[in-house]
Amino acid sequence: MALITCQDLTLGYEGRAIVENLNFSVREGNYFCIVGENGSGKSTLMRTLLGLQQPLGGKITFGDGLAQNQIGYLPQQTLVQRDFPASVREIVTSGCQGSCGIRPFYGKKEKQTAQQAMEKMDIVPLANRCYRELSGGQQQRVLLARALCAADRVLLLDEPVSGLDPKATAQMYNLIKELNRKEKMTIIMISHDMQAAVTFASHILHVGHSWFFGTKKEYLKSDIGRVYSLLEGGERK
């Protein structure tokens, strides 16, 4: 059964469509990459999947017991967020807010969840450090750990390596791969990095003037996939 199914989905603003009649599904364990040119609707699609924006048409169905509020989200960082004056542990634990219900404090369960997320991201030694003192790569690990606290099945990642140096980029991609393969986490990732998409993804959704949905192999054999993978320096794997 699909975790997320989009049928005849139309996205846009103020009645103006950006993407029309989009059809795709995300299944348990997929590494699902959303690619396409700037302004093609990638971020609009992600906001719609999170329930932050309503579609202009069509519908989104969540299956296999998945609720929309059980999806973890790693947004692109802003300059203000990079300078946030809180400890690593505080930021990671804040990802558990949704599970606290009406309780105004974190209990043993939330603290344990945060600890496990920090262990997975290898940031336990940073737990008491101030977030704004960390490197860009370390900050992304912290935010990914926070997203893990909010979800145990699906993660939505919006350009997770944006602004990182090559070493930190490689480390982040490896962490995401491990979450997908070892932790069985379903990954949905917006990316401008075509090489990463055709290296790591199991399925690719290309949005824009034309759209495509299928497996990575099917994408690389398609006309749109061949054009874009070559333009962006992607490698056939």
Side-chain angles (χ1 to χ4, degrees):
M1 179 183 289
L3 294 177
I4 303 171
T5 302
C6 293
Q7 297 174 292
D8 299 324
L9 199 63
T10 297
L11 309 172
Y13 296 93
E14 299 177 350
R16 184 177 67 85
I18 299 174
V19 182
E20 296 183 274
N21 300 319
L22 201 58
N23 292 278
F24 67 89
S25 60
V26 182
R27 294 184 175 273
E28 191 92 44
N30 281 174
Y31 193 134
F32 187 98
C33 279
I34 303 171
V35 300
E37 56 269 23
N38 290 333
S40 60
K42 300 187 298 296
S43 293
T44 302
L45 172 58
M46 185 163 282
R47 286 193 294 271
T48 304
L49 291 176
L50 290 167
L52 303 175
Q53 180 174 328
Q54 293 301 309
L56 298 181
K59 65 178 181 177
I60 302 174
T61 304
F62 296 90
D64 199 22
L66 179 70
Q68 196 170 45
N69 62 2
Q70 294 175 325
I71 299 174
Y73 178 42
L74 176 63
Q76 291 191 51
Q77 273 206 91
T78 66
L79 290 175
V80 173
Q81 289 169 329
R82 291 191 180 100
D83 200 37
F84 197 66
S87 74
V88 167
R89 189 183 301 278
E90 288 171 334
I91 289 177
V92 174
T93 309
S94 71
C96 298
Q97 286 178 347
S99 64
C100 287
I102 61 173
R103 282 187 290 115
F105 58 87
Y106 299 116
K108 182 178 179 180
K109 179 181 178 181
E110 288 79 31
K111 292 176 181 178
Q112 184 177 33
T113 297
Q115 180 68 22
Q116 291 172 344
M118 289 192 292
E119 289 171 1
K120 289 176 182 178
M121 294 296 102
D122 196 23
I123 56 173
V124 173
L126 305 176
N128 296 318
R129 292 272 304 277
C130 182
Y131 176 78
R132 64 184 177 189
E133 296 174 355
L134 305 181
S135 69
Q138 290 171 329
Q139 287 185 343
Q140 283 298 82
R141 285 175 181 243
V142 172
L143 295 181
L144 189 51
R146 182 183 186 277
L148 285 174
C149 287
D152 59 4
R153 297 177 72 186
V154 182
L155 281 177
L156 269 69
L157 314 175
D158 191 354
E159 298 288 354
V161 301
S162 179
L164 301 185
D165 62 43
K167 181 179 179 181
T169 293
Q171 291 172 340
M172 181 58 64
Y173 279 138
N174 283 332
L175 284 171
I176 296 168
K177 180 178 69 175
E178 292 298 298
L179 287 172
N180 177 246
R181 296 183 182 178
K182 290 188 176 181
E183 303 292 334
K184 307 303 180 184
M185 183 73 70
T186 301
I187 303 294
I188 304 175
M189 182 174 73
I190 285 182
S191 180
H192 284 99
D193 186 345
M194 187 62 69
Q195 182 173 349
V198 299
T199 297
F200 298 112
S202 62
H203 294 73
I204 293 177
L205 173 66
H206 188 118
V207 294
H209 296 298
S210 354
W211 65 270
F212 172 93
F213 164 64
T215 66
K216 174 176 66 178
K217 289 183 179 179
E218 290 169 341
Y219 180 70
L220 287 173
K221 291 178 180 178
S222 70
D223 291 340
I224 192 170
R226 283 196 297 266
V227 170
Y228 277 89
S229 62
L230 289 174
L231 286 175
E232 300 294 331
E235 296 178 354
R236 295 172 182 266
K237 299 248 180 186

